[in-house]
Amino acid sequence: MSETLRLWLIVVGVIALLLTIAPGLIWLERRLLGWWQDRKGPNRVGPFGIFQPLADAIKLIFKEDWIPPFADKPVFILAPAVVVFTAFMSYAIIPLAPGIVVADLNIGVLFFLAMSSLGVYAIVLGGWSSNNKYSLLGAMRGAAQMITYEVFMGISLLGVVMMAGSFNLSEIVLAQQGMWNVVPQFVGFVVFFIAGVAELHRLPFDIPEAESELIAGYHSEYSGMKFGMFFVGEYIGVTMLAGFTTTMFFGGWLGPSFLPGIAWFLLKTFAIIVFIILLRGSLPRPRYDQLMGYGWKILLPLSLINLMVTGYFLLR
Amino acid sequence: MEVAFYLSALIAVAATVLAITRYHAVHALLFLIVSLLALAVVFFIMGAHFAAALEVIIYAGAIMVLFIFAIMMLNLGKATIEWERQLLRPRVWVLPALLTLVLAAELIYLLAIRGGPESSGIELVRPARVGAELFGFYILGVEMAAFLLMAGLVGAYHIGRREKKVIHRYLKKEEV
């Protein structure tokens, strides 16, 4: 098999995987939330309601795709594209198994951070171009929240980078052969995971869209498949966060040899996705100033201390 | 690789020109972001992967977000666009255009003498080497930048500090 063909197969495979996971995740989340909240969840369309996302997608596609006359049209159209684009691009660097990776960059971790920092634009531009005060409020909250949490999301990952001595994700996975990073870097893991959920503005950190205060925040004015893109982008983002956490802290494809590497990777990722859904089902949304204070006053010092202690043990 | 380089360089130049000539502030900033991203691609092609990543993270991902944030808060309306339109009349462009032309001519002349950038000798710069250089040869600059940042932080804290007055609304006296 030629090198180019192999690369194309990996690219198509990753995109197909993500596009299948996104609707599957929507169904899974609603079923799991239903289960945890002692109700049934969607169970009418197909066996166990598994075709519910399909029905939703058909509904969204056939809905009128309305652009408000007061909106800034080009920017309004651009914003949902940015969400999906950045979420997909981040997956390019995650090694699913030894050798199965789209781009094995030597700046892999930085690439992930770059893409997640570009993701802010989706919220900011979407909220601003809607020309609606609730959307603008949501966009402002989103921008502040994501810039804040980006800072120590990067710092919390540096401990792992220092232990592996590389930004390359494959090398980081291989450096975890003795012990998964989650043990020595537990503080880094906790800070990263909280920051990651906040970066995705998922519940409980869905302050930019808080439906009880801001209607739907930055995507209030969106309809049809443009709204759907925000939705799909969020679920691909969840998959991406879970995959990245697996790679950085849970040993990626490593595991006992009775299963192939990719199966281990997918299993761990799936477990983390379920945990993220559980977070949504169990935690209340914090107040906006609480969120910011928590970030700057607790998580930032914590990640810096983690960095310092890691450095001490490495250089000792 | 050569094609990719010239394409992204072209995009960078075009986006920068568009960023200057847009009347709408947010649209201008969007073009500036495109220009920065194109520049990151140029860095990447030239082998400076670390610089490319930092370009995206810091310039496109943080500084420009703050710019857009500020402009969003100001919420400039139609009046500003009109004002900008008056500001950027064709006559204003003459002098800057002349100066830029001189610069461009100089650049083209220099490139013609040297025969352009050597496309063969691209060396991959690894992040570890950048770090070693920064904390070795350029340590003085790094420390000075740290001082500057610290001063900025202290200043921002001082400006932002305010006496905290928490009075519950039931305890407040009615203003007569």
Side-chain angles (χ1 to χ4, degrees), chain A residues 15 40 53 57 64 83 104 148 179 192 213 228 281 293:
Chain A
I15 291 180
K40 293 216 184 294
E64 185 188 356
V83 194
D104 203 12
T148 303
M179 188 197 292
F192 169 74
E213 320 154 23

Side-chain angles (χ1 to χ4, degrees), chain A residues 137-155:
Chain A
L137 278 173
M140 274 157 48
R141 285 180 176 191
Q145 172 182 337
M146 289 174 79
I147 289 181
T148 303
Y149 278 77
E150 219 173 83
V151 174
F152 39 83
M153 184 157 102
I155 298 177

Side-chain angles (χ1 to χ4, degrees), chain B residues 58-111:
Chain B
I58 294 173
Y59 282 98
I63 295 179
M64 296 316 286
V65 173
L66 289 178
F67 267 58
I68 286 200
F69 188 69
I71 283 173
M72 234 165 57
M73 300 267 275
L74 296 173
N75 207 7
L76 308 168
K78 281 233 160 55
T80 341
I81 296 176
E82 282 306 311
W83 183 69
E84 279 242 346
R85 191 163 304 195
Q86 284 184 351
L87 213 62
L88 294 175
R89 272 168 309 184
R91 208 154 47 81
V92 185
W93 293 104
V94 176
L95 191 61
L98 274 180
L99 291 175
T100 322
L101 267 183
V102 174
L103 273 182
E106 239 177 279
L107 188 68
I108 290 168
Y109 176 69
L110 285 175
L111 285 180

Side-chain angles (χ1 to χ4, degrees), chain B residues 132-143:
Chain B
E133 285 284 315
L134 275 181
F135 285 95
F137 187 69
Y138 294 105
I139 184 72
L140 195 65
V142 171
E143 289 296 327

Side-chain angles (χ1 to χ4, degrees), chain B residues 20-33:
Chain B
I20 298 168
T21 53
R22 290 305 91 183
Y23 297 125
H24 200 299
V26 173
H27 292 176
L29 282 178
L30 284 179
F31 278 113
L32 193 52
I33 293 163

